[in-house]
Amino acid sequence: MKITGADHTSFTVSNLEQSIAFYVDNLGFELLYIRPEIKNNYFRAIIGWPDAVVKGAMLAIPGTSHQLELFEYVHPRGVAADVRTNNPGSAHVSYFVDDLHAFYAALSTKGVRFRSPPVALDEGPNRGGFALYMLDPDGITIELFQRG
């Protein structure tokens, strides 16, 4: 047995509408659908919360068939996790961009939070490229990567 592909990445967010706006307006994702109240028995069994009520959305990621799923737990409400990059359990997703410097400049005018400006990759397998980390409204790390 082995993994045969990838379907989606999912983030739990504190405010679904705010997160949808962030990913659509800033990163160009396409909203596929919103589920205003998920409380199916199978869903509750999968996530391990028998009385959960969740709002969800699925977004298409430009240039790929991979999708981004966003969940807001209405019940039970969660607490913000410490998702700083050095903490075990934190994760990030990386997205390709054609011109990182121009994208960074455009996002900077919108108040997007960054860990750094574009950094030149001057050694290793990605030499000649540029990368940065940015944060979504819940502090989830997103890497933007321009190939060399």
Side-chain angles (χ1 to χ4, degrees):
M1 298 214 175
K2 63 181 180 175
I3 300 293
T4 60
D7 181 61
H8 68 272
T9 299
S10 182
F11 296 141
T12 299
V13 299
S14 61
N15 181 305
L16 184 65
E17 293 77 17
Q18 173 183 284
S19 293
I20 291 169
F22 176 85
Y23 285 96
V24 170
D25 297 343
N26 295 318
L27 301 182
F29 288 26
E30 176 190 349
L31 177 62
L32 298 175
Y33 57 83
I34 295 174
R35 295 177 69 189
E37 190 173 81
I38 308 168
K39 53 185 182 178
N40 313 75
N41 289 331
Y42 78 84
F43 177 78
R44 290 171 165 176
I46 290 169
I47 64 171
W49 292 98
D51 61 346
V53 178
V54 175
K55 295 192 303 187
M58 190 67 80
L59 293 89
I61 300 170
T64 178
S65 61
H66 198 83
Q67 298 176 341
L68 177 64
E69 179 178 63
L70 301 173
F71 284 150
E72 177 186 342
Y73 280 74
V74 176
H75 177 79
R77 287 298 291 182
V79 296
D82 186 348
V83 293
R84 288 176 292 177
T85 55
N86 63 318
N87 287 331
S90 71
H92 78 271
V93 61
S94 180
Y95 299 117
F96 291 120
V97 297
D98 292 330
D99 184 343
L100 185 56
H101 290 86
F103 202 39
Y104 170 74
L107 291 175
S108 294
T109 66
K110 296 181 176 187
V112 173
R113 298 178 296 158
F114 295 93
R115 293 262 186 240
S116 73
V119 174
L121 307 176
D122 58 4
E123 57 185 303
N126 295 312
R127 184 180 198 164
F130 293 91
L132 62 73
Y133 275 4
M134 61 183 282
L135 304 173
D136 88 344
D138 288 293
I140 296 167
T141 300
I142 300 164
E143 179 179 3
L144 298 180
F145 177 68
Q146 177 183 329
R147 293 180 173 119

